[in-house]
Amino acid sequence: MFNKIDNLSSQARILIAVILALLFFVPYSYLYKPTQTTEQENKTTNSAIPQTIQEQSTQPIQQNLPTSNNPTKEIIATIQSKNFEYQIDRLGRITQAFLKDTKYQKDSQDLPLFSTDISQQDNPKPLEIRFSDPLINQQAFSTPYLANTANIQIEDNPQTLILTQKLQEITIEKHITFYPNGYYEININAPQNYAYFVSPGMRPNVESDAYIFKGVIIKESDNTITTIEDGDAKEQTNFKASTILAAVDRYYTTLFFKQEGNIDSIILNNSNKDPMPFISANGNISLSGYIGPKDHRVLESINPSLTDVIEYGIITFFAKPLFLLLDTLYKLTGNWGWAIILLTLIVRIVLYPLTYKGMVSMQKLKDLAPKLKEIQAKYKGEPQKLQAHMMELYKKHGANPMGGCLPLLLQLPVFFAIYRVLYNAIELKGAGWLLWIQDLSVMDPYFVLPILMGLTMFLQQHLTPTTFSDPMQEKIFKFLPLIFTIFFVTFPSGLVLYWFVNNVFSILQQLAINKSLAYKKSKEIAEHKHRPKDS
């Protein structure tokens, strides 16, 4: 048994290293598919649909759309600010949103948030209204809105746009007040008994990375947060008492929320099973909305609860405080790179007791390796005696075969949370560090940080005690720095910076612990030599 345990010690360390690679660098977001609990499934009933809608089919909101997107390309109003440009089409929708800030620009051009792919023309756009009644719905998609002005320039104060659509039976008015930071308020005036649905729009289509969460986030009045990822949407899911309905990709979002009260959210799916978000309404309704980057400070300034659309996955409960700590360090240093370095130092200090315990345990196992081999050779073929003598040896020297592994396992949630924070923080966009790093959110253009990370990992391996009993395991372990370097090449330089600095601190820590253990050992040897022979 203990022969197996001793082997397991080195095998576990290999396994932990592989787990680190898989969890940190082979994207968890791609593997993690959020599922609804039984309680959440119980909420997806028709109780979320107003009575007038229950009496009618909700399917027409997916049907009777224009067969061609050409009539909707006409822009009837443009809203400009120093941060963004919104284009309103003839159907009263925000058909495109451009971000003007240079750190968001692509190829020196303003960044468009929404797809222009003709195959996605039936997907809802922000402020789009669809009616439950198929005849009215067909009229709505065939009748243009009229705008009270064609151009709005927002400086410091909000500006209001009024859109009017006159159908055969009813008239719809949208009063939209735009603010400089991407926040807006919309009041829809519609007669009662005409059930309709309004959408915050499909998610921004900027990030093509398959390893990130892309889909819809719903926050309910009891603070339950449900995520529905692209490809996972059911035919219809209802949330009666929600407070936030957001469509997101890695860095950007379009959303609706209520400053007070709740909204009835409905999630449909398109042909790709991507979630299409809507809010059901009947008569007048007032909503708040936002289109733009998932910048923590901007969202918090609008409404603190909006920071929940910054999605970190299953580790969110721990990742959010880490980001707040990182943000605090940024305020102190004025640079995200130095903030990452300070965060790394703080994490190392907090985890020092666990790290120290693990390193000491591995050193003890290394020191016991010759004696273990003697026992294994002496009691080969006698498993019971072998186990008993190995137990006695471990107990005598206070060694634990798993002692070096458990502290590492306990640190995994911390490292994973930091990975999620740095990978999803849009604040790192355009943030430079030293001379060659101009953007911590993208890969190092000269591969300096990945190479340094690999070299420091290699050096750390040589300083860390190991007790390999299998030559093949040892060879695999030696290749890990190269494997990790390859993983890190395309990762955001901010994340690579964290891991490189973490390796440096680990090396310094290992040197200090090795020196301390060597001193302690030499002291014990000296005391043993001066001990009386008859003692």
Side-chain angles (χ1 to χ4, degrees), residues 248-264:
V248 306
D249 71 357
R250 177 183 177 186
Y251 285 139
Y252 308 97
T253 183
T254 176
L255 59 84
F256 280 155
F257 70 102
K258 272 277 194 179
Q259 296 284 7
E260 295 181 1
N262 299 322
I263 50 181
D264 293 340

Side-chain angles (χ1 to χ4, degrees), residues 476-527:
I476 294 174
F477 190 73
K478 287 181 179 179
F479 273 103
L480 285 179
L482 177 61
I483 295 172
F484 274 50
T485 300
I486 294 173
F487 273 130
F488 271 102
V489 163
T490 58
F491 269 65
S493 51
L495 179 61
V496 186
L497 174 63
Y498 162 76
W499 203 257
F500 161 63
V501 174
N502 183 70
N503 286 350
V504 172
F505 288 148
S506 295
I507 290 170
L508 296 176
Q509 194 175 57
Q510 186 68 62
L511 288 172
I513 290 175
N514 289 351
K515 187 175 182 180
S516 174
L517 291 175
Y519 174 77
K520 184 178 180 180
K521 188 174 182 179
S522 62
K523 187 177 180 181
E524 290 176 353
I525 293 174
E527 290 176 353

Side-chain angles (χ1 to χ4, degrees), residues 212-239:
I212 58 176
F213 175 81
K214 294 176 289 189
V216 167
I217 295 175
I218 306 100
K219 182 176 182 180
E220 299 179 71
S221 57
D222 61 358
N223 291 323
T224 299
I225 295 177
T226 301
T227 57
I228 303 177
E229 195 164 5
D230 281 3
D232 288 347
K234 299 178 181 179
E235 185 174 342
Q236 180 169 321
T237 309
N238 306 315
F239 299 85

Side-chain angles (χ1 to χ4, degrees), residues 145-393:
Y145 277 79
L146 298 177
N148 67 327
T149 181
N151 293 283
I152 290 180
Q153 183 67 43
I154 303 174
E155 299 296 340
D156 298 326
N157 299 317
Q159 301 289 330
T160 299
L161 174 69
I162 301 176
L163 301 173
T164 305
Q165 184 184 48
K166 293 185 178 182
L167 306 179
Q168 291 180 7
E169 299 180 12
I170 60 176
T171 298
I172 304 296
E173 284 188 352
K174 298 177 182 177
H175 295 249
I176 315 162
T177 302
F178 295 97
Y179 290 73
N181 59 356
Y183 168 67
Y184 64 87
E185 297 168 342
I186 177 170
N187 297 309
I188 300 176
N189 297 329
Q192 290 286 341
N193 300 321
Y194 289 88
Y196 65 93
F197 306 84
V198 58
S199 177
M202 293 291 281
R203 66 166 178 83
N205 193 32
V206 179
E207 298 293 323
S208 60
D209 194 336
Y211 303 142
I212 58 176
F213 175 81
K214 294 176 289 189
V216 167
I217 295 175
I218 306 100
K219 182 176 182 180
E220 299 179 71
S221 57
D222 61 358
N223 291 323
T224 299
I225 295 177
T226 301
T227 57
I228 303 177
E229 195 164 5
D230 281 3
D232 288 347
K234 299 178 181 179
E235 185 174 342
Q236 180 169 321
T237 309
N238 306 315
F239 299 85
K240 182 177 178 59
S242 55
T243 57
I244 300 174
L245 178 59
V248 306
D249 71 357
R250 177 183 177 186
Y251 285 139
Y252 308 97
T253 183
T254 176
L255 59 84
F256 280 155
F257 70 102
K258 272 277 194 179
Q259 296 284 7
E260 295 181 1
N262 299 322
I263 50 181
D264 293 340
S265 298
I266 296 179
I267 310 300
L268 300 177
N269 63 358
N270 61 14
S271 59
N272 296 321
K273 294 187 177 181
D274 298 336
M276 303 196 306
F278 290 90
I279 287 175
S280 64
N282 195 324
N284 297 344
I285 188 173
S286 297
L287 297 167
S288 296
Y290 172 79
I291 299 175
K294 295 192 294 185
D295 186 293
H296 189 278
R297 293 184 186 179
V298 173
L299 294 173
E300 187 176 43
S301 68
I302 296 171
N303 188 307
S305 66
L306 293 184
T307 58
D308 287 329
V309 305
I310 304 174
E311 201 271 341
Y312 298 114
I314 198 172
I315 205 75
T316 295
F317 73 96
F318 188 61
K320 288 188 76 171
L322 276 177
F323 173 80
L324 294 177
L325 174 57
L326 180 66
D327 187 56
T328 300
L329 296 173
Y330 169 74
K331 292 175 184 177
L332 293 174
T333 62
N335 182 277
W336 286 104
W338 294 116
I340 291 172
I341 292 173
L342 287 180
L343 176 67
T344 312
L345 177 60
I346 291 173
V347 170
R348 294 300 308 186
I349 292 173
V350 171
L351 296 179
Y352 178 79
L354 285 175
T355 307
Y356 178 81
K357 185 177 180 180
M359 289 179 174
V360 169
S361 180
M362 286 190 286
Q363 183 63 52
K364 287 182 179 179
L365 290 174
K366 182 181 179 181
D367 293 340
L368 291 177
K371 294 182 179 180
L372 285 172
K373 288 182 179 180
E374 291 178 6
I375 293 175
Q376 290 169 356
K378 184 176 181 180
Y379 296 101
K380 185 178 181 180
E382 300 179 82
Q384 293 183 348
K385 289 186 178 181
L386 176 61
Q387 293 173 14
H389 282 81
M390 291 182 70
M391 169 79 78
E392 182 180 351
L393 182 65

